[in-house]
Amino acid sequence: MAATCDQHLFVIFGATGDLTRRKLIPSLYRIVTENHVADRMAIIAVAPREMTDGEFREVAKTSLHDAGIDGADAADWCDRIFYQSVGRDESFDGLRERIEAVEADLGFPGNRAFYLALPPVAFPGTIDRLGEARLNRSPGWTRLVIEKPFGHDLASAHELNEQVHEHFDEDQIYRIDHYLGKETVQNLLTFRFANPIFETSWNRDRLEAVEITVAEDLGVGSRAGYYESAGVLRDMVQNHLTQLMTLVAMEAPPGFNATSIRNEKVQVLESITRIDPEHVVYGQYTAGEVAGEPVVGYHDEDGVAPDSRTPTFVGVKVAIDSWRWQGVPFYLRTGKRLPRRTSQIAVTFKPAPVCIFHGEHDECPIKPNVVVLTLQPDEGFQLRFEVKTPGSPPNVTTKHFTFDYNAEFETIPLAYQTLLFDVITGDQTLFVRGDEVEESWRLWQPILDLEDHPVHPYAAGTWGPAVTNPELAFWTDEWTMRT
Ligand code: BG6
């Protein structure tokens, strides 16, 4: 593994922000220590604030400490971090000189990763300044990592793509969706393409429905400023849930590499001609109780307009018009202030064609087989199947085969650790390609454009709004989830 990690500089824009402190610094430390490549990386932290290298190294030590990392090795590693203050509109010429000086000092060949841990408004200016200072090219490789959200809608995503492509080639660009870094999300491909037992049934002949659920128990917290203009569709669906859907629905790629996998994911998106607005249900949480604690409604959160119509829940029925999926509904749903945090994909098989068992009132007692893949927490999967209850008269009951990640494996790497490692080793498989991000916006844009789509209230701590339309009754029942 060490052989694939070249000597390089990792340059973080937005170095004094929350993401750098909470995720980037601890993940980079874990990567270099676990792979024994500490001497192959140095970091240049960039932000407007005036600070010395020494002062920033103290910030880095605190961030490692907060992540449970202490000791002499951690302190030594911080000495490989340099700090460069760059004003908001200042050119990057000074930064380039610093980069070249650090490289010359360390004898590094000029490989550079630039990470934009910045608010989206700062993306265009930073990208332009990188290009103007000729930091888009280097003696070695140059990679650009862009945090989400990539655009606010289809037009802005397209514009941002055009602008990045003025300076960088697509194979230099790493667009982050942190869901793709989750081990259990990557396992979707292993589960499907390493287990023909499931893959041969993974189609319209055998499957009844696919339900993708990302439930959060938290509310909007201190992020109302951003969330009010985003809403649930931009915040969770256009990116994370759409990515999950493409991984569940894609065809087998010819190989396990970035081009093949991303081609297949784009094909899924292209096969969705239209999302029917009638099949979209929005909700917004009102006051209620989560985990036994009273919580306020969305309207009473700090920074939320009293008459806000921003949805915090959405349930959608999506049709994929492909030979594999025609007629199999994909139900996506996600919301804040639901009863508990869980992300699951439930794949329900078609029922037995003829029922030869009879329940007490002559009904068919057989339940459909379901595979439930739990992405977080309690990572693992479960297969529900029917068994005969011992004794007579013969009866049928549902049991589970389960696989528990945490019981089987010692550690599950964190999403950012996986993604950053892929950046420094040059693997784009888990990053969203330019055409893919636009296809995804294309899908949701007509729904974002709906002006008066109803937003139904739901009490915090419930599974979303009650809905009467029978087409949408799929989440009025208890969702198909692992209990
Ligand atoms: C982020 C959203 O992208 O994902 C947040 O902006 C959301 O609103 C978060 O809470 C969920 O991520 P995770 O990894 O906790 O499931």
Side-chain angles (χ1 to χ4, degrees):
M1 198 175 274
T4 62
C5 177
D6 303 318
Q7 289 178 316
H8 68 282
L9 281 191
F10 199 96
V11 183
I12 305 175
F13 293 96
T16 49
D18 201 42
L19 181 70
T20 305
R21 211 180 51 244
R22 282 191 311 113
K23 305 275 189 196
L24 303 187
I25 296 282
S27 301
L28 289 172
Y29 177 76
R30 290 201 174 100
I31 288 171
V32 296
T33 45
E34 284 172 21
N35 296 289
H36 312 290
V37 291
D39 58 344
R40 295 180 159 258
M41 176 193 286
I43 297 174
I44 300 201
V46 183
R49 195 180 306 168
E50 292 291 340
M51 220 189 274
T52 62
D53 290 345
E55 282 165 341
F56 190 81
R57 286 172 188 163
E58 290 308 311
V59 174
K61 277 180 208 158
T62 309
S63 118
L64 291 178
H65 172 79
D66 292 347
I69 303 166
D70 288 296
D73 285 352
D76 286 350
W77 179 75
C78 290
D79 289 343
R80 299 184 70 83
I81 307 181
F82 305 88
Y83 183 81
Q84 179 74 19
S85 149
V86 179
R88 284 188 204 286
D89 298 315
E90 194 181 325
S91 99
F92 285 170
D93 290 343
L95 175 62
R96 195 189 59 242
E97 281 162 26
R98 184 78 196 276
I99 287 174
E100 288 167 354
V102 172
E103 284 171 347
D105 247 21
L106 296 172
F108 275 14
N111 297 315
R112 299 160 190 169
F114 295 105
Y115 196 112
L116 308 192
L118 296 167
V121 287
F123 293 164
T126 309
I127 293 164
D128 275 345
R129 283 186 290 161
L130 281 169
E132 284 154 14
R134 298 186 316 284
L135 281 167
N136 51 341
R137 302 281 178 256
S138 65
W141 49 253
T142 301
R143 298 177 187 142
L144 177 71
V145 190
I146 308 179
E147 261 296 330
K148 70 147 235 185
F150 194 91
H152 184 72
D153 52 18
L154 177 58
S156 56
H158 178 71
E159 203 176 307
L160 186 54
N161 261 338
E162 294 217 311
Q163 196 218 353
V164 188
H165 287 147
E166 271 177 34
H167 305 289
F168 293 88
D169 301 329
E170 185 60 35
D171 65 6
Q172 296 181 283
I173 305 167
Y174 292 68
R175 295 175 194 78
I176 293 245
D177 181 318
H178 78 279
Y179 265 57
L180 292 177
K182 292 180 193 272
E183 197 67 32
T184 44
V185 173
Q186 295 164 58
N187 184 50
L188 289 172
L189 293 184
T190 312
F191 180 83
R192 290 191 53 201
F193 301 124
N195 295 295
I197 187 176
F198 298 111
E199 191 48 27
T200 45
S201 306
W202 214 253
N203 55 51
R204 64 193 303 268
D205 297 333
R206 295 281 178 269
L207 298 184
E208 186 79 3
V210 177
E211 293 161 87
I212 301 178
T213 302
V214 178
E216 298 189 89
D217 51 356
L218 295 177
V220 74
S222 56
R223 298 170 68 224
Y226 146 77
Y227 199 86
E228 273 283 87
S229 65
V232 66
L233 214 57
R234 287 187 175 90
D235 187 48
M236 295 295 289
V237 180
Q238 176 275 329
N239 40 42
H240 309 322
L241 277 90
T242 303
Q243 285 294 326
L244 295 178
M245 177 173 66
T246 58
L247 293 173
V248 174
M250 68 186 253
E251 296 299 322
F256 198 88
N257 58 66
T259 307
S260 301
I261 290 176
R262 297 194 297 180
N263 283 349
E264 298 301 339
K265 285 165 68 196
V266 170
Q267 288 218 26
V268 173
L269 299 174
E270 286 173 351
S271 306
I272 302 169
T273 26
R274 170 175 181 265
I275 310 255
D276 186 345
E278 295 283 311
H279 292 166
V280 177
V281 173
Y282 279 148
Q284 187 188 70
Y285 63 84
T286 57
E289 231 180 59
V290 176
E293 295 292 324
V295 295
V296 298
Y298 183 69
H299 276 174
D300 292 317
E301 300 278 17
D302 275 351
V304 171
D307 56 350
S308 168
R309 294 185 72 253
T310 304
T312 59
F313 171 98
V314 67
V316 195
K317 179 177 167 181
V318 179
I320 303 178
D321 297 316
S322 67
W323 277 56
R324 187 191 277 264
W325 293 116
Q326 178 60 44
V328 181
F330 276 66
Y331 297 117
L332 314 188
R333 51 201 163 194
T334 179
K336 295 206 182 284
R337 284 290 189 224
L338 300 181
R340 63 194 162 93
R341 176 173 184 254
T342 185
S343 298
Q344 297 193 338
I345 298 174
V347 178
T348 304
F349 287 70
K350 284 197 193 296
V354 175
C355 187
I356 60 167
F357 305 98
H358 299 282
E360 246 177 72
H361 308 290
D362 216 27
E363 81 285 4
C364 178
I366 310 177
K367 304 233 175 39
N369 296 126
V370 184
V371 174
V372 182
L373 296 138
T374 302
L375 308 177
Q376 64 183 23
D378 306 327
E379 292 83 355
F381 81 78
Q382 184 185 75
L383 169 63
R384 297 182 192 177
F385 61 99
E386 304 294 277
V387 296
K388 175 181 175 296
T389 330
S392 58
N395 215 335
V396 177
T397 187
T398 305
K399 292 290 170 196
H400 304 154
F401 284 126
T402 57
F403 161 73
D404 180 345
Y405 248 92
N406 291 299
E408 298 294 333
F409 298 109
E410 259 173 35
T411 46
I412 305 182
L414 301 172
Y416 270 93
Q417 197 177 328
T418 304
L419 294 173
L420 295 183
F421 185 75
D422 287 355
V423 169
I424 64 179
T425 54
D427 184 348
Q428 289 183 300
T429 310
L430 301 179
F431 297 84
V432 186
R433 205 166 61 189
D435 55 339
E436 188 179 356
V437 80
E438 287 192 37
E439 269 303 313
S440 170
W441 278 115
R442 177 196 59 80
L443 211 63
W444 299 107
Q445 191 61 53
I447 305 302
L448 289 168
D449 289 342
L450 297 174
E451 277 185 3
D452 296 318
H453 203 63
V455 180
H456 306 277
Y458 64 97
T462 65
W463 286 111
V467 176
T468 46
N469 178 351
E471 265 288 299
L472 299 171
F474 53 88
W475 68 79
T476 54
D477 298 326
E478 178 69 2
W479 298 354
T480 315
M481 293 201 292
R482 181 158 118 175
T483 48

